Amino acid sequence: MINLELPRKIRGLTQQAHSVAEQVFRPISRQYDLAEHSYPKELDMLAAVIDGMDAAVEHGSGAAGVRRVEAGDGGGAVRNGTNLSTVASIMELCWGDVGLLLSMPRQGLGNAAVASVASEEQLARFGHLWASMAITEPECGSDSAAIRTTARLDGDHYVLNGEKIYVTAGERSEAVVVWATLDRSLGRAAIKSFLVEKGTPGFTVERLEDKLGIRASDTAALRLVDVRVPRENLLGSPEVHPERGFGGVMQTFDNTRPLVAGMAVGVARAALERTRELLAEAGIDVDYDRPALGQHAAAAAFIAAEADYEAAYLLTLRAAWLADNGTPNSLEASMAKAKAGRAATEIALRCVALAGSVGYGEGELLEKWARDAKILDIFEGTQQIQQLIVARRLLGKTSQELR
Ligand SMILES: Cc1cc2nc3c(=O)[nH]c(=O)nc-3n(C[C@H](O)[C@H](O)[C@H](O)COP(=O)(O)OP(=O)(O)OC[C@H]3O[C@@H](n4cnc5c(N)ncnc54)[C@H](O)[C@@H]3O)c2cc1C
C-alpha cells in the first residue's frame, strides 16, 4: 500500500513551521505588502529560532537542508531526509506568507545553492552567511548560458565584472552567489558560481524594484566592477569540461526547484483554505461524496482546484524525496516546479473569483496571494522553460535539438 502521509519524524518540524506562519507571518503579512522596501524586523528574532531548529536536524532544516547524501547511504534503505523536511516546512511557512519566507535571514536561494555545490570546507566558511543568488542579467534570463558577467583568474583571486538584476534578497543578504563565465568562448561549461561577500570593494547595490507581489521581499540590481574574491570562493570544481556542458551549476536547480514548488503549494493551500471558509459562510457546501458536476458551480470549481493542488503537492514531495535518496531528479524537479507554479497562480486567481468582491478587496489576503503566486511560476525557470526541460528529458533530446 502507498502511504501518502508525511512521515512522522518530520511532522514536529512542519507543526513548528505552521505555528510560525500563523503567529508571526500572518499578522504582519498585509503590513509589509503595503510597506514595500521596509525590512520586516520581526524576522530577526525568528531567524535565531530557526537557527536553533537547524542545529537540531542532521545537515540543517532550512535552505541549507538541501545538501545531498550519496546514493546508497543508509544501507539501501529509503530515506525521508532534509530535502523532504525542508520542502514540507517551506509549504507551511508560505501558507503564512511567501514574501516573508523569502526575507528570512540565512534562508536564501543562495544558501540552498551553497548547500548544493559547496565543498565541506566552503560550507564551514560560508554556511552561516545569508546568501542570495544572482544569475539573471539585463541580457540573460531564461537562457542562462548567455551569462556575460566574467570571472578572470588573477593570482590567487578571481576578478568579477558584470551586472545582475532581479536578485531576491539582494540588498538584505550578507553574500551573493554570482554566476559568471571563466571564458565565454568555451560556452556553458565555463559558467561557475562564486560566493561574493557584501562589502567587497566594487560590489554595489544599484536599485530596488517595485513589484506586483512578494512585496515584503527585496529585489535588487547589483553591479560588479573589478570585484576580487579569493579563488577558494568558486563553488564546486574550477575545471571546465566542455563535453559535460552545464552540469556543475545546474545541479543547484535540482535542489532549489522543489523548494520553489513547495512555496507555490503553500500559497495555493492558503487560498483554498480561506475560500472554503468563505464558501461555507455563504452556505455553499463542498461534498466529496457526490459528483462535482451535480453540486453548486462554486463547489465544483473548488473541487477541481483542490485536485490540481493535490497533484502539485505530490509531485513536489516526490522531487524532494528523490533528492534525499541520491537519485537524479532533474525531470521531477521541473515537473514539480511547472505544475506547482501554474497551479498556484490559477488556484489563487480562481479563489479570488469564487469569493467575488470580497476576494478582490484588501480586507482579505486572497488578492495578495494571487499577486504573490505569479512569481513562483517565473523565477528559478519559467513555466515555459520547465516544460521545455520536461519535454527534452522525455523525448531524449539535447538543448540544441529542442529549444
Ligand atoms: C520578483 C523576482 C525575483 C527574482 N529573483 C531572482 C533571483 O533571486 N535570482 C536570479 O538570478 N533571478 C531572479 N529573477 C529573475 C527570473 O529568474 C527571470 O525573470 C526568469 O528567469 C525569466 O527571465 P526573463 O525575465 O529575462 O525573461 P525571458 O527569458 O526574456 O522570457 C520572457 C518570456 O519568454 C518565455 N521564453 C523564453 N525562452 C523560451 C523558450 N525557449 N521557449 C518558450 N518560451 C520561452 C519565458 O518563459 C517568458 O515567458 C527574479 C525575477 C523576479 C521578477
Side-chain angles (χ1 to χ4, degrees), residues 218-288:
D218 66 301
T219 307
L222 308 174
R223 187 178 295 280
L224 300 104
V225 180
D226 292 332
V227 174
R228 296 180 75 83
V229 297
R231 64 191 297 170
E232 298 77 27
N233 284 29
L234 185 154
L235 301 174
S237 165
E239 306 286 321
V240 177
H241 297 288
E243 72 287 358
R244 285 196 214 151
F246 232 160
V249 281
M250 280 311 215
Q251 201 183 318
T252 309
F253 286 138
D254 297 345
N255 290 350
T256 54
R257 284 177 177 155
L259 300 185
V260 177
M263 294 175 200
V265 167
V267 177
R269 202 183 92 215
L272 285 169
E273 282 184 14
R274 184 62 190 134
T275 302
R276 175 112 198 228
E277 288 166 1
L278 291 169
L279 290 178
E281 282 169 25
I284 297 168
D285 282 336
V286 178
D287 183 350
Y288 297 100

Side-chain angles (χ1 to χ4, degrees), residues 15 17 21 31 39 46 56 91 110 121 157 172 210 214 259 299 366 374 376 384:
Q15 276 160 12
Q31 177 190 341
Y39 176 67
L46 187 58
M91 288 173 183
E121 182 268 332
H157 287 79
R172 297 170 186 165
D210 298 321
I214 57 162
L259 300 185
L366 286 170
K374 186 60 200 166
L376 305 170
Q384 291 78 7

Side-chain angles (χ1 to χ4, degrees), residues 144-222:
S144 15
I147 278 175
R148 293 182 178 194
T149 297
T150 53
R152 178 176 51 82
L153 192 58
D154 179 24
D156 286 338
H157 287 79
Y158 284 103
V159 183
L160 274 67
N161 279 286
E163 200 181 335
K164 294 289 177 184
I165 57 171
Y166 285 106
V167 182
T168 298
E171 186 196 37
R172 297 170 186 165
S173 59
E174 298 159 308
V176 184
V177 174
V178 174
W179 286 28
T181 174
L182 295 177
D183 182 346
R184 279 199 81 190
S185 69
L186 294 178
R188 50 188 66 196
I191 295 175
K192 302 286 173 184
S193 55
F194 300 82
L195 189 124
V196 185
E197 293 192 48
K198 290 288 184 58
T200 308
F203 190 30
T204 48
V205 175
E206 294 291 294
R207 65 168 190 279
L208 293 178
E209 306 297 342
D210 298 321
K211 308 189 297 293
L212 171 77
I214 57 162
R215 291 157 59 90
S217 157
D218 66 301
T219 307
L222 308 174

Side-chain angles (χ1 to χ4, degrees), residues 58-59 64-75 77-83 115-116 120 251 255 320-328:
E58 184 196 6
H59 301 306
V66 298
R67 196 156 178 83
R68 291 232 170 182
V69 294
E70 292 306 316
D73 278 13
V78 292
R79 296 166 50 100
N80 294 314
T82 47
N83 281 276
S116 298
E120 291 298 330
Q251 201 183 318
N255 290 350
W321 182 88
L322 287 170
D324 276 338
N325 286 278
T327 309

